[in-house]
Amino acid sequence: QVQLVESGGGLVQAGGSLRLSCTTTDGDFVINAGGWYRQVPGIQREWVASITSGGVTNYGDSVKGRFDVSKDSAKNTVYLQMNNLRPEDTGVYYCKAIGRKPWGRQREYWGQGTQVTVSS
């Protein structure tokens, strides 16, 4: 089982910014693509953004123009830059990393989640 480590969540005022990071402590697992999801209690987990192995990015309608997903292959990390945050962006953000080890097939793993709270 590959462990993912998320960081960067916190409390911010509306209009502010945060950057979430998602990496792994497993030096053999290479992250090729990734995605970010968020969840609010009582509501189904919502897809926010994703990036493919080729660097193609896609965003949910509610975050287009405000969020930016990227990956740094050298750091084996996927990022979510969140700008102009709104109270409705509040939730637990989960990353999904897709990758493989040198001798294995492609797999996907989820991070533990990081809380983002946007105050009005």
Side-chain angles (χ1 to χ4, degrees):
Q1 182 75 10
V2 171
Q3 299 290 331
L4 298 182
V5 178
E6 294 185 42
S7 61
L11 173 64
V12 65
Q13 287 188 328
S17 298
L18 286 173
R19 188 176 79 157
L20 306 183
S21 300
C22 175
T23 189
T24 177
T25 56
D26 189 323
D28 292 322
F29 185 76
V30 177
I31 298 174
N32 296 316
W36 291 92
Y37 298 73
R38 65 186 177 200
Q39 189 159 26
V40 177
I43 299 177
Q44 189 173 359
R45 189 173 293 187
E46 174 192 17
W47 168 71
V48 173
S50 59
I51 184 166
T52 69
S53 58
V56 176
T57 57
N58 287 284
Y59 300 92
D61 288 340
S62 64
V63 307
K64 277 181 185 176
R66 299 187 298 122
F67 289 13
D68 179 39
V69 60
S70 62
K71 61 187 177 84
D72 185 330
S73 297
K75 296 183 178 179
N76 209 24
T77 300
V78 178
Y79 300 98
L80 183 68
Q81 177 67 43
M82 305 184 294
N83 300 319
N84 191 20
L85 282 160
R86 304 168 180 169
E88 54 264 38
D89 293 319
T90 294
V92 178
Y93 283 69
Y94 296 90
C95 77
K96 181 175 73 174
I98 302 167
R100 60 184 298 171
K101 296 187 179 185
W103 58 87
R105 60 184 176 90
Q106 184 164 283
R107 294 181 181 271
E108 61 181 46
Y109 297 95
W110 289 87
Q112 81 283 3
T114 185
Q115 177 69 45
V116 171
T117 303
V118 184
S119 63
S120 57

